[in-house]
Amino acid sequence: MAKKKKKVFLCTECGNEYPTWQGQCSYCGAWNTIVEQSVSENEEEDVRRRTAGRTKPEPLAKVGTAEYRRIVSGIHELDRVLGGGLVLGSLILISGEPGIGKSTLILQAANRIAESCGKVLYVSGEDSEEQVKLRAERVLPSIAPGLLIYPETMLESVIDAAEKEKPSFLIIDSIQTMYSRDLENGAGSITQIRACSTLLMKYAKMNHVPVFIVAHVNKSGDLAGPKTIEHMVDVVLSFDGERDRDLRILRSVKNRFGTTEEIGAFRMSGSGMEEVSDLSGTLLENTDLREEGSVVSALYEGSRPVFFEVQALVSPANVGFARRTAVGIDNNRLNMILAVLDKKAGLSLLNYDVYVNIVGGLRPDNPATDLAVALAIYSSFKEKAASRRLVAVGEVGLTGNLRSIRNADRIVSEAKRLGYDAVLMPSKNAESGGIAEGCHTIADAIAAFTK
């Protein structure tokens, strides 16, 4: 018997549902984003239920966790970001710009899992079998017999094939190409994406199979589709990098089974994605060279410190307003640092263009980079290089004081191992000892930079 259809109104921005049309979404505040959609009414035996086979709630203390063991993908950087591997029954979402290497990385992981754990089902909604085979021959040394390809876009057929083949790992590439036959909307619509994600979540939980979902991004670089999908899945990964560089960074945005502070580094090559174990060595091309406008900074990402170079260029503005351009850091953060330098350090850059770049394509979202940015701007403006090989870390406050950062002692230890002479950091972190030099204000840091 065909399911009954009903009309609802959904916000294309956040995916929330309304019984009647409204001009503005009361959840996200967006205007002109409410559209009419056709959905199936819920039935008693709803396929989206995750409690199938259970008759009553269970005491949490008696729930076993043995089923949540992990599958090691064989790619160390990927396992690091996931927290040690793929958890059975987990739903993992990975996003990134077209051509960044998402499909290549997942294909490599799928082949290694097929070699060690059995069947892997790769569902391709965008490429044909021949296209996937050509990519596999290019990036894989040999194709595992257990790696299965299935070019299909109807999700019910995908789940039927998965239940028949019983793979140890399921890949959907991509969720925007999938559709459910129970819905009239086209593939890629909010209703289809949400319904398909729900069905995949039920399959993963009931069969204890990890499911990898590839997703597109919109023009702003955010995950395309309703925001509720990010809340539904267990893990959200972001894969990014500069198109003119071969370095790629895999970052965990959400992880129910591990930390979100880990990052994985890869290098795009002719034979696929290669792991980068020494990320700092890749980002720092010449650690002995001291140049004006260049300062080394560091962050502690998960279980390892990452050192990188911050470059700044200050030049007189020719006409009109002075430009403020930042690559790798937030432009608003740059404007705040410039205001602090003007007010607290007497460095007026009102009539100067300021350009700041994080070398290597890294995009640190940690304010611990503030001090390095400020010192690089000062160095370029005064045309003075650092008097010694040093690292600068610390958050710059609006009062001009330096605020403490996390894992400062580990950054100092790694800097000492790499041969740096000093680490400029907030006074509260300077008790790390050794080559650590404490600075209370931005003016103190500038004095230590030039001494």
Side-chain angles (χ1 to χ4, degrees):
M1 183 177 64
K3 295 183 179 180
K4 297 181 180 179
K5 303 289 184 179
K6 67 175 182 179
K7 299 291 185 179
V8 298
F9 296 90
L10 299 176
C11 174
T12 58
E13 186 70 22
C14 64
N16 286 290
E17 181 178 322
Y18 295 90
T20 58
W21 183 87
Q22 299 183 26
Q24 181 184 22
C25 178
S26 59
Y27 292 92
C28 65
W31 285 91
N32 302 321
T33 59
I34 310 299
V35 296
E36 185 179 9
Q37 302 279 359
S38 298
V39 299
S40 301
E41 295 184 353
N42 293 342
E43 299 178 355
E44 293 183 2
E45 294 299 327
D46 195 335
V47 296
R48 296 171 294 181
R49 294 177 60 193
R50 295 174 59 183
T51 56
R54 301 180 185 178
T55 57
K56 61 180 181 179
E58 299 178 9
L60 180 61
K62 295 183 179 180
V63 175
T65 58
E67 62 187 43
Y68 293 104
R69 64 180 181 89
R70 298 178 184 267
I71 296 177
V72 177
S73 69
I75 300 179
H76 180 69
E77 293 294 309
L78 175 60
D79 292 334
R80 178 205 295 270
V81 176
L82 292 173
L86 299 160
V87 175
L88 297 184
S90 61
L91 192 62
I92 304 167
L93 187 69
I94 182 171
S95 65
E97 294 183 357
I100 207 68
K102 303 183 299 297
S103 299
T104 300
L105 176 62
I106 294 174
L107 185 60
Q108 291 178 257
N111 191 65
R112 296 194 183 187
I113 293 176
E115 292 175 343
S116 60
C117 300
K119 292 182 180 180
V120 172
L121 182 58
Y122 189 105
V123 179
S124 175
E126 299 180 349
D127 299 332
S128 64
E129 305 103 311
E130 292 79 8
Q131 291 173 314
V132 177
K133 177 66 179 299
L134 289 174
R135 184 189 299 122
E137 291 178 339
R138 178 173 56 87
V139 303
L140 302 178
S142 62
I143 302 176
L147 180 55
L148 310 178
I149 180 69
Y150 189 37
E152 180 58 71
T153 56
M154 189 171 73
L155 193 61
E156 284 80 5
S157 297
V158 170
I159 294 179
D160 290 341
E163 291 178 345
K164 179 181 179 181
E165 297 292 341
K166 300 187 182 304
S168 56
F169 184 31
L170 175 62
I171 300 169
I172 305 295
D173 188 7
S174 65
I175 189 64
Q176 275 80 10
T177 62
M178 297 292 131
Y179 73 95
S180 173
R181 62 189 176 195
D182 295 329
L183 301 176
E184 297 177 354
N185 311 89
S189 64
I190 290 178
T191 306
Q192 286 285 5
I193 294 177
R194 186 165 60 177
C196 292
S197 299
T198 304
L199 291 172
L200 288 171
M201 179 177 63
K202 185 206 171 189
Y203 169 80
K205 303 302 180 186
M206 297 302 298
N207 295 276
H208 306 298
V209 175
V211 178
F212 229 113
I213 301 176
V214 179
H216 297 164
V217 295
N218 53 30
K219 293 181 179 179
S220 62
D222 299 323
L223 188 65
K227 196 70 175 178
T228 52
I229 302 302
E230 297 183 51
H231 296 280
M232 292 170 54
V233 300
D234 299 307
V235 181
V236 179
L237 303 178
S238 175
F239 201 43
D240 54 41
E242 300 295 332
R243 285 190 173 275
D244 58 342
R245 299 179 182 271
D246 57 4
L247 183 65
R248 302 288 186 265
I249 300 297
L250 181 66
R251 187 182 301 273
S252 174
V253 180
K254 170 189 175 181
N255 192 348
R256 288 175 177 163
F257 310 111
T259 179
T260 57
E261 297 179 350
E262 287 282 5
I263 64 172
F266 299 88
R267 180 183 292 108
M268 174 70 83
S269 68
S271 58
M273 289 294 171
E274 298 179 357
E275 299 181 67
V276 177
S277 56
D278 184 13
L279 181 56
S280 298
T282 302
L283 296 173
L284 298 175
E285 295 183 353
N286 192 341
T287 58
D288 296 326
L289 185 63
R290 295 194 299 273
E291 298 176 316
E292 60 184 52
S294 174
V295 177
V296 175
S297 187
L299 294 175
Y300 202 84
E301 295 282 1
S303 59
R304 62 180 174 182
V306 178
F307 287 70
F308 52 91
E309 182 183 2
V310 180
Q311 292 183 347
L313 176 63
V314 179
S315 61
N318 294 324
V319 292
F321 295 100
R323 295 182 179 180
R324 304 288 186 257
T325 303
V327 178
I329 65 170
D330 183 62
N331 205 69
N332 294 326
R333 196 82 189 171
L334 172 61
N335 290 328
M336 186 206 73
I337 294 173
L338 292 174
V340 173
L341 286 173
D342 185 7
K343 184 74 174 180
K344 302 299 180 180
L347 196 68
S348 179
L349 301 173
L350 182 63
N351 297 320
Y352 290 84
D353 295 333
V354 178
Y355 306 89
V356 176
N357 178 41
I358 306 296
V359 179
L362 194 67
R363 298 181 180 273
D365 55 356
N366 194 311
T369 314
D370 290 354
L371 181 58
V373 173
L375 293 179
I377 294 172
Y378 173 86
S379 173
S380 178
F381 179 71
K382 295 294 185 179
E383 298 183 352
K384 293 182 179 180
S387 57
R388 49 199 168 144
R389 297 181 65 243
L390 54 81
V391 180
V393 291
E395 178 183 356
V396 176
L398 291 177
T399 61
N401 294 334
L402 301 183
R403 300 176 60 85
S404 59
I405 62 173
R406 297 183 300 167
N407 299 313
D409 55 336
R410 300 181 181 181
I411 292 177
V412 171
S413 299
E414 181 67 11
K416 186 176 181 180
R417 186 188 70 82
L418 295 175
Y420 285 94
D421 301 323
V423 179
L424 303 185
M425 58 174 50
S427 299
K428 292 183 179 179
N429 294 125
E431 58 189 25
S432 304
I435 59 176
E437 295 186 11
C439 304
H440 182 65
T441 65
I442 184 66
D444 296 339
I446 291 175
F449 180 78
T450 56
K451 76 175 183 180

